[in-house]
Amino acid sequence: PRPAAEVLPELETILPDLLTLSGEGSPLAVQQLKEESCLDPLQEHNWNTRTRALGWLVGRYADHESAQGAMNAWKSHLETVGWVRDEELRNEPETNGDVHVMRYHNADLQLSARYDHAELTSSRNVSVVITSPCLKNPDNHRMTRSKLDPDYGVSSKYYDSDAEKADPAQAGAP
């Protein structure tokens, strides 16, 4: 398995591709694109000693056709570019809960795409999560965030936020 810092550049191309495929005016956005701890923050002190890469898109669609359209586009794309489907679940569009769930793997990456319908609020939520395996790191390891992560540049004791803030890509960012 590759260290998270080596996986993030790959996720920086995969997630924008999936966003593009999700359709014109898609509500999807990058929720997280970073190295994250595999350890329980309530139990462990050294979060940085066991980490993985995480890419996460999430959005709420107005109707079934748009949400299902994104899932169908992703399925076609993923299978075309070499991802292997591990599992797929489909239910009726008005199902309360999971309407369509797909799980894939490609080399050391796992991908889970989920479309669920909340009957009470009639919201149609779609998400994609891509992760790499957890790896052990030295105690002084600094975790990495992608420039596409909404928290890039936000102060943190686990990320090198000073370097992120000094990054020219942050110029003009709020």
Side-chain angles (χ1 to χ4, degrees), residues 1-9 35 51-53 108-109 132-137 141 144:
R2 300 171 289 163
E6 288 178 24
V7 175
L8 287 176
E35 181 177 357
T51 62
R52 67 180 184 175
D108 58 345
L109 299 179
S132 66
C134 293
L135 290 180
K136 191 161 177 32
N137 300 305
H141 176 71
T144 310

PDB file of all heavy atoms in Angstrom, residues 1-9 35 51-53 108-109 132-137 141 144:
ATOM      1  N   PRO A   1       0.826  -1.216   0.000  1.00  0.00           N
ATOM      2  CA  PRO A   1       0.000   0.000   0.000  1.00  0.00           C
ATOM      3  C   PRO A   1       0.860   1.266   0.000  1.00  0.00           C
ATOM      4  O   PRO A   1       1.943   1.273   0.563  1.00  0.00           O
ATOM      5  CB  PRO A   1      -0.832  -0.094   1.266  1.00  0.00           C
ATOM      6  CG  PRO A   1      -0.737  -1.517   1.726  1.00  0.00           C
ATOM      7  CD  PRO A   1       0.519  -2.084   1.133  1.00  0.00           C
ATOM      8  N   ARG A   2       0.325   2.306  -0.590  1.00  0.00           N
ATOM      9  CA  ARG A   2       1.041   3.584  -0.682  1.00  0.00           C
ATOM     10  C   ARG A   2       0.683   4.487   0.493  1.00  0.00           C
ATOM     11  O   ARG A   2      -0.452   4.456   0.966  1.00  0.00           O
ATOM     12  CB  ARG A   2       0.637   4.306  -1.976  1.00  0.00           C
ATOM     13  CG  ARG A   2       0.949   3.512  -3.228  1.00  0.00           C
ATOM     14  CD  ARG A   2       0.333   4.149  -4.452  1.00  0.00           C
ATOM     15  NE  ARG A   2      -1.126   3.985  -4.421  1.00  0.00           N
ATOM     16  CZ  ARG A   2      -1.967   4.698  -5.168  1.00  0.00           C
ATOM     17  NH1 ARG A   2      -1.524   5.624  -5.978  1.00  0.00           N
ATOM     18  NH2 ARG A   2      -3.271   4.483  -5.098  1.00  0.00           N
ATOM     19  N   PRO A   3       1.632   5.325   0.925  1.00  0.00           N
ATOM     20  CA  PRO A   3       1.304   6.310   1.965  1.00  0.00           C
ATOM     21  C   PRO A   3       0.226   7.276   1.449  1.00  0.00           C
ATOM     22  O   PRO A   3       0.134   7.537   0.247  1.00  0.00           O
ATOM     23  CB  PRO A   3       2.613   7.049   2.210  1.00  0.00           C
ATOM     24  CG  PRO A   3       3.676   6.243   1.541  1.00  0.00           C
ATOM     25  CD  PRO A   3       3.030   5.379   0.524  1.00  0.00           C
ATOM     26  N   ALA A   4      -0.560   7.809   2.353  1.00  0.00           N
ATOM     27  CA  ALA A   4      -1.663   8.708   1.995  1.00  0.00           C
ATOM     28  C   ALA A   4      -1.195   9.875   1.126  1.00  0.00           C
ATOM     29  O   ALA A   4      -1.873  10.256   0.177  1.00  0.00           O
ATOM     30  CB  ALA A   4      -2.345   9.223   3.256  1.00  0.00           C
ATOM     31  N   ALA A   5      -0.034  10.435   1.438  1.00  0.00           N
ATOM     32  CA  ALA A   5       0.463  11.591   0.678  1.00  0.00           C
ATOM     33  C   ALA A   5       0.691  11.238  -0.800  1.00  0.00           C
ATOM     34  O   ALA A   5       0.595  12.102  -1.666  1.00  0.00           O
ATOM     35  CB  ALA A   5       1.749  12.126   1.300  1.00  0.00           C
ATOM     36  N   GLU A   6       0.957   9.971  -1.084  1.00  0.00           N
ATOM     37  CA  GLU A   6       1.130   9.545  -2.480  1.00  0.00           C
ATOM     38  C   GLU A   6      -0.209   9.282  -3.162  1.00  0.00           C
ATOM     39  O   GLU A   6      -0.303   9.317  -4.383  1.00  0.00           O
ATOM     40  CB  GLU A   6       1.981   8.274  -2.553  1.00  0.00           C
ATOM     41  CG  GLU A   6       3.442   8.495  -2.249  1.00  0.00           C
ATOM     42  CD  GLU A   6       4.240   7.196  -2.296  1.00  0.00           C
ATOM     43  OE1 GLU A   6       3.819   6.235  -2.963  1.00  0.00           O
ATOM     44  OE2 GLU A   6       5.300   7.160  -1.634  1.00  0.00           O
ATOM     45  N   VAL A   7      -1.246   9.002  -2.394  1.00  0.00           N
ATOM     46  CA  VAL A   7      -2.573   8.706  -2.941  1.00  0.00           C
ATOM     47  C   VAL A   7      -3.344   9.996  -3.236  1.00  0.00           C
ATOM     48  O   VAL A   7      -4.100  10.064  -4.208  1.00  0.00           O
ATOM     49  CB  VAL A   7      -3.378   7.824  -1.954  1.00  0.00           C
ATOM     50  CG1 VAL A   7      -4.804   7.605  -2.450  1.00  0.00           C
ATOM     51  CG2 VAL A   7      -2.675   6.492  -1.740  1.00  0.00           C
ATOM     52  N   LEU A   8      -3.143  11.037  -2.423  1.00  0.00           N
ATOM     53  CA  LEU A   8      -3.926  12.270  -2.573  1.00  0.00           C
ATOM     54  C   LEU A   8      -3.881  12.863  -3.984  1.00  0.00           C
ATOM     55  O   LEU A   8      -4.930  13.248  -4.510  1.00  0.00           O
ATOM     56  CB  LEU A   8      -3.520  13.314  -1.526  1.00  0.00           C
ATOM     57  CG  LEU A   8      -3.993  13.013  -0.103  1.00  0.00           C
ATOM     58  CD1 LEU A   8      -3.452  14.056   0.870  1.00  0.00           C
ATOM     59  CD2 LEU A   8      -5.510  12.951  -0.020  1.00  0.00           C
ATOM     60  N   PRO A   9      -2.698  12.930  -4.655  1.00  0.00           N
ATOM     61  CA  PRO A   9      -2.707  13.482  -6.018  1.00  0.00           C
ATOM     62  C   PRO A   9      -3.609  12.690  -6.972  1.00  0.00           C
ATOM     63  O   PRO A   9      -4.248  13.274  -7.857  1.00  0.00           O
ATOM     64  CB  PRO A   9      -1.237  13.409  -6.447  1.00  0.00           C
ATOM     65  CG  PRO A   9      -0.468  13.402  -5.160  1.00  0.00           C
ATOM     66  CD  PRO A   9      -1.339  12.671  -4.178  1.00  0.00           C
ATOM     67  N   GLU A  35      -5.543  13.337   4.210  1.00  0.00           N
ATOM     68  CA  GLU A  35      -5.086  12.189   4.983  1.00  0.00           C
ATOM     69  C   GLU A  35      -5.825  12.273   6.313  1.00  0.00           C
ATOM     70  O   GLU A  35      -5.903  13.334   6.925  1.00  0.00           O
ATOM     71  CB  GLU A  35      -3.582  12.322   5.194  1.00  0.00           C
ATOM     72  CG  GLU A  35      -2.944  11.211   5.955  1.00  0.00           C
ATOM     73  CD  GLU A  35      -1.436  11.381   6.067  1.00  0.00           C
ATOM     74  OE1 GLU A  35      -0.886  12.351   5.500  1.00  0.00           O
ATOM     75  OE2 GLU A  35      -0.807  10.545   6.720  1.00  0.00           O
ATOM     76  N   THR A  51      -2.720   6.292   9.515  1.00  0.00           N
ATOM     77  CA  THR A  51      -3.547   7.142   8.661  1.00  0.00           C
ATOM     78  C   THR A  51      -3.884   6.475   7.324  1.00  0.00           C
ATOM     79  O   THR A  51      -3.285   5.468   6.950  1.00  0.00           O
ATOM     80  CB  THR A  51      -2.828   8.477   8.363  1.00  0.00           C
ATOM     81  OG1 THR A  51      -1.614   8.200   7.662  1.00  0.00           O
ATOM     82  CG2 THR A  51      -2.529   9.255   9.638  1.00  0.00           C
ATOM     83  N   ARG A  52      -4.821   7.099   6.619  1.00  0.00           N
ATOM     84  CA  ARG A  52      -5.199   6.691   5.268  1.00  0.00           C
ATOM     85  C   ARG A  52      -5.612   7.942   4.489  1.00  0.00           C
ATOM     86  O   ARG A  52      -5.875   8.996   5.083  1.00  0.00           O
ATOM     87  CB  ARG A  52      -6.369   5.705   5.305  1.00  0.00           C
ATOM     88  CG  ARG A  52      -7.660   6.340   5.795  1.00  0.00           C
ATOM     89  CD  ARG A  52      -8.784   5.333   5.822  1.00  0.00           C
ATOM     90  NE  ARG A  52     -10.048   5.986   6.206  1.00  0.00           N
ATOM     91  CZ  ARG A  52     -11.207   5.367   6.228  1.00  0.00           C
ATOM     92  NH1 ARG A  52     -11.275   4.083   5.907  1.00  0.00           N
ATOM     93  NH2 ARG A  52     -12.307   6.006   6.569  1.00  0.00           N
ATOM     94  N   ALA A  53      -5.683   7.816   3.176  1.00  0.00           N
ATOM     95  CA  ALA A  53      -6.193   8.904   2.340  1.00  0.00           C
ATOM     96  C   ALA A  53      -7.711   8.778   2.271  1.00  0.00           C
ATOM     97  O   ALA A  53      -8.257   7.675   2.245  1.00  0.00           O
ATOM     98  CB  ALA A  53      -5.593   8.831   0.947  1.00  0.00           C
ATOM     99  N   ASP A 108      -5.074  -0.348  -4.596  1.00  0.00           N
ATOM    100  CA  ASP A 108      -5.216  -0.267  -3.137  1.00  0.00           C
ATOM    101  C   ASP A 108      -6.344   0.677  -2.696  1.00  0.00           C
ATOM    102  O   ASP A 108      -6.463   0.978  -1.520  1.00  0.00           O
ATOM    103  CB  ASP A 108      -3.885   0.149  -2.498  1.00  0.00           C
ATOM    104  CG  ASP A 108      -3.371   1.488  -3.009  1.00  0.00           C
ATOM    105  OD1 ASP A 108      -3.866   1.976  -4.041  1.00  0.00           O
ATOM    106  OD2 ASP A 108      -2.445   2.033  -2.385  1.00  0.00           O
ATOM    107  N   LEU A 109      -7.183   1.137  -3.624  1.00  0.00           N
ATOM    108  CA  LEU A 109      -8.255   2.069  -3.260  1.00  0.00           C
ATOM    109  C   LEU A 109      -9.609   1.367  -3.189  1.00  0.00           C
ATOM    110  O   LEU A 109      -9.897   0.475  -3.977  1.00  0.00           O
ATOM    111  CB  LEU A 109      -8.341   3.207  -4.286  1.00  0.00           C
ATOM    112  CG  LEU A 109      -7.104   4.079  -4.422  1.00  0.00           C
ATOM    113  CD1 LEU A 109      -7.331   5.146  -5.488  1.00  0.00           C
ATOM    114  CD2 LEU A 109      -6.737   4.713  -3.094  1.00  0.00           C
ATOM    115  N   SER A 132      -7.871   4.783   1.037  1.00  0.00           N
ATOM    116  CA  SER A 132      -6.729   3.882   0.890  1.00  0.00           C
ATOM    117  C   SER A 132      -6.604   3.102   2.195  1.00  0.00           C
ATOM    118  O   SER A 132      -7.225   3.469   3.198  1.00  0.00           O
ATOM    119  CB  SER A 132      -5.454   4.686   0.601  1.00  0.00           C
ATOM    120  OG  SER A 132      -5.113   5.491   1.712  1.00  0.00           O
ATOM    121  N   PRO A 133      -5.793   2.037   2.223  1.00  0.00           N
ATOM    122  CA  PRO A 133      -5.632   1.279   3.475  1.00  0.00           C
ATOM    123  C   PRO A 133      -4.935   2.119   4.556  1.00  0.00           C
ATOM    124  O   PRO A 133      -4.173   3.032   4.240  1.00  0.00           O
ATOM    125  CB  PRO A 133      -4.742   0.102   3.076  1.00  0.00           C
ATOM    126  CG  PRO A 133      -4.742   0.058   1.597  1.00  0.00           C
ATOM    127  CD  PRO A 133      -5.054   1.440   1.113  1.00  0.00           C
ATOM    128  N   CYS A 134      -5.183   1.772   5.798  1.00  0.00           N
ATOM    129  CA  CYS A 134      -4.509   2.434   6.926  1.00  0.00           C
ATOM    130  C   CYS A 134      -3.051   1.975   6.983  1.00  0.00           C
ATOM    131  O   CYS A 134      -2.771   0.789   6.814  1.00  0.00           O
ATOM    132  CB  CYS A 134      -5.206   2.075   8.234  1.00  0.00           C
ATOM    133  SG  CYS A 134      -6.865   2.762   8.345  1.00  0.00           S
ATOM    134  N   LEU A 135      -2.155   2.931   7.211  1.00  0.00           N
ATOM    135  CA  LEU A 135      -0.729   2.628   7.327  1.00  0.00           C
ATOM    136  C   LEU A 135      -0.161   3.246   8.588  1.00  0.00           C
ATOM    137  O   LEU A 135      -0.588   4.316   9.024  1.00  0.00           O
ATOM    138  CB  LEU A 135       0.050   3.196   6.134  1.00  0.00           C
ATOM    139  CG  LEU A 135      -0.167   2.540   4.767  1.00  0.00           C
ATOM    140  CD1 LEU A 135       0.671   3.237   3.721  1.00  0.00           C
ATOM    141  CD2 LEU A 135       0.189   1.066   4.819  1.00  0.00           C
ATOM    142  N   LYS A 136       0.850   2.572   9.136  1.00  0.00           N
ATOM    143  CA  LYS A 136       1.544   3.073  10.327  1.00  0.00           C
ATOM    144  C   LYS A 136       2.550   4.141   9.910  1.00  0.00           C
ATOM    145  O   LYS A 136       3.197   4.029   8.873  1.00  0.00           O
ATOM    146  CB  LYS A 136       2.252   1.898  11.000  1.00  0.00           C
ATOM    147  CG  LYS A 136       2.782   2.224  12.371  1.00  0.00           C
ATOM    148  CD  LYS A 136       3.040   0.959  13.157  1.00  0.00           C
ATOM    149  CE  LYS A 136       3.634   1.225  14.510  1.00  0.00           C
ATOM    150  NZ  LYS A 136       3.262   2.440  15.185  1.00  0.00           N
ATOM    151  N   ASN A 137       2.645   5.193  10.711  1.00  0.00           N
ATOM    152  CA  ASN A 137       3.570   6.309  10.466  1.00  0.00           C
ATOM    153  C   ASN A 137       4.428   6.552  11.704  1.00  0.00           C
ATOM    154  O   ASN A 137       4.032   6.190  12.804  1.00  0.00           O
ATOM    155  CB  ASN A 137       2.785   7.601  10.195  1.00  0.00           C
ATOM    156  CG  ASN A 137       1.875   7.482   8.997  1.00  0.00           C
ATOM    157  OD1 ASN A 137       2.307   7.146   7.916  1.00  0.00           O
ATOM    158  ND2 ASN A 137       0.594   7.742   9.211  1.00  0.00           N
ATOM    159  N   HIS A 141       5.022  12.238  12.294  1.00  0.00           N
ATOM    160  CA  HIS A 141       4.380  12.363  10.976  1.00  0.00           C
ATOM    161  C   HIS A 141       3.382  13.521  10.954  1.00  0.00           C
ATOM    162  O   HIS A 141       2.602  13.694  11.878  1.00  0.00           O
ATOM    163  CB  HIS A 141       3.662  11.044  10.642  1.00  0.00           C
ATOM    164  CG  HIS A 141       2.887  11.093   9.375  1.00  0.00           C
ATOM    165  ND1 HIS A 141       3.477  11.142   8.139  1.00  0.00           N
ATOM    166  CD2 HIS A 141       1.550  11.108   9.143  1.00  0.00           C
ATOM    167  CE1 HIS A 141       2.546  11.184   7.206  1.00  0.00           C
ATOM    168  NE2 HIS A 141       1.365  11.158   7.788  1.00  0.00           N
ATOM    169  N   THR A 144      -1.445  15.277   5.674  1.00  0.00           N
ATOM    170  CA  THR A 144      -1.514  16.151   4.505  1.00  0.00           C
ATOM    171  C   THR A 144      -2.964  16.378   4.103  1.00  0.00           C
ATOM    172  O   THR A 144      -3.771  15.456   4.151  1.00  0.00           O
ATOM    173  CB  THR A 144      -0.790  15.467   3.315  1.00  0.00           C
ATOM    174  OG1 THR A 144       0.486  15.034   3.748  1.00  0.00           O
ATOM    175  CG2 THR A 144      -0.645  16.395   2.148  1.00  0.00           C
TER     176      THR A 144
END
